[in-house]
Amino acid sequence: MSGKANISESLAKGLAILDLFGVEDAGFTLSEIAARVGISKTSAHRYVTTYCEQDYLARDARSGLYRLGVRTLALAQSMIETSELVRGLRPFVDEAAARHGIHIDVALLSRDAVYLVYRRDSADTRVFRSFSYASSLHYLAAGKAAMAFMEPRALAEIMSRLTLAAKTDRTITDKAVLEAELAEAREVGYAKNNEESLPGLIAIGAPLFSLRTGKVVGAVSFDSSTATYSMQELERLFAGYLVELAKKISAVVSL
């Protein structure tokens, strides 16, 4: 029997609802949840009512929007505090953040998305609503770094599914342009986000590899406000340090 046959479709849809709340923190109406997950409003109501009853979601009484509940937040905090992966990479990230005074994100790849597993922010980036989960990879330095170093077949599959939705007026929305930028990233060892996810926020990202399989498993990025550094300055000052940090973290994620 295939693994697909053993999957609970109902549970998968329920988890897809929770996934929505990592993309945006503004909250969703019941109709928005149903539309984005692709289920009926009646089904969505059953799911969110259950989540609210168990405190995994909460409904704002004034706006009517659903947001993450305290039990979901507690699970995330528990993962940060107890994960062997986070314990292993934290010293490297914390040391780099303290030395360079730069915002650092570590994200792991899962299917067509990257998930944030550890962050050290900086004073100049705290005003931005940075990602915790991204449903698309093309507007993040971490996402593009992961894409650039995928095996050709895996990259082709993702590119065939990718919808290049614009997050800002600088987001790449042309596949040929994206492919050219990924090729450049492979040459220099890192990818760029030039205000493509949020106006005023720039980043460079380097891939993380499993040393056992040689496959890309995620990325680490250095982020900055454009008020602090230009893209050229960010690359000149930090690209070398970023690539070295990626090598150290790759050793940790391979354990």
Side-chain angles (χ1 to χ4, degrees):
M1 184 177 292
S2 69
K4 188 77 172 177
N6 290 321
I7 290 176
S8 167
E9 294 294 337
S10 177
L11 179 57
K13 290 177 181 177
L15 293 174
I17 290 175
L18 290 182
D19 268 350
L20 292 177
F21 293 87
V23 182
E24 301 176 23
D25 63 6
F28 297 97
T29 65
L30 186 64
S31 296
E32 288 171 336
I33 291 171
R36 294 194 182 207
V37 177
I39 58 179
S40 70
K41 193 172 178 180
T42 300
S43 294
H45 183 263
R46 286 199 300 269
Y47 282 115
V48 299
T49 299
T50 302
Y51 281 138
C52 288
E53 180 67 24
Q54 299 296 321
D55 291 329
Y56 288 103
L57 291 181
R59 186 174 185 271
D60 187 289
R62 289 187 299 176
S63 67
L65 299 178
Y66 292 92
R67 294 185 171 87
L68 291 177
V70 293
R71 289 186 71 179
T72 308
L73 300 176
L75 282 175
Q77 184 62 31
S78 177
M79 184 269 184
I80 292 172
E81 292 179 352
T82 64
S83 166
E84 291 185 10
L85 171 64
V86 173
R87 283 202 299 266
L89 63 85
R90 179 186 284 136
F92 298 117
V93 175
D94 287 358
E95 190 275 335
R99 176 185 297 181
H100 304 300
I102 195 80
H103 175 123
I104 302 177
D105 283 340
V106 181
L108 296 183
L109 184 66
S110 178
R111 298 181 184 272
D112 295 356
V114 284
Y115 291 79
L116 181 72
V117 295
Y118 191 64
R119 164 175 289 158
R120 280 296 303 270
D121 64 8
S122 58
D124 70 326
T125 60
R126 287 175 189 147
V127 297
F128 296 99
R129 285 172 48 199
S130 299
F131 84 104
S132 59
Y133 156 82
S135 58
S136 193
L137 304 172
H138 67 287
Y139 53 78
L140 295 173
K144 287 192 281 187
M147 291 177 69
F149 291 88
M150 287 178 180
E151 295 178 339
R153 183 174 180 178
L155 176 58
E157 290 176 354
I158 281 189
M159 290 293 285
S160 70
R161 297 189 296 266
L162 201 58
T163 300
L164 300 181
K167 297 287 285 186
T168 74
D169 59 5
R170 294 197 174 192
T171 306
I172 295 175
T173 56
D174 183 284
K175 286 193 176 182
V177 175
L178 177 59
E179 288 170 347
E181 185 161 314
L182 296 180
E184 179 185 346
R186 283 189 288 273
E187 288 186 10
V188 299
Y190 62 90
K192 295 179 284 188
N193 164 11
N194 194 7
E195 298 186 80
E196 296 165 53
S197 58
L198 290 168
L201 184 69
I202 57 176
I204 52 177
L208 303 177
F209 295 97
S210 167
L211 302 185
R212 289 178 292 181
T213 66
K215 293 182 179 180
V216 65
V217 294
V220 55
S221 68
F222 285 6
D223 298 33
S224 173
S225 162
T226 53
T228 304
Y229 297 110
S230 67
M231 177 57 75
Q232 292 75 18
E233 290 170 331
L234 190 66
E235 291 181 78
R236 176 173 55 83
L237 293 172
F238 299 111
Y241 295 118
L242 172 70
V243 172
E244 287 304 310
L245 179 60
K247 292 177 182 177
K248 294 177 182 178
I249 297 174
S250 290
V252 173
V253 300
S254 299
L255 296 178

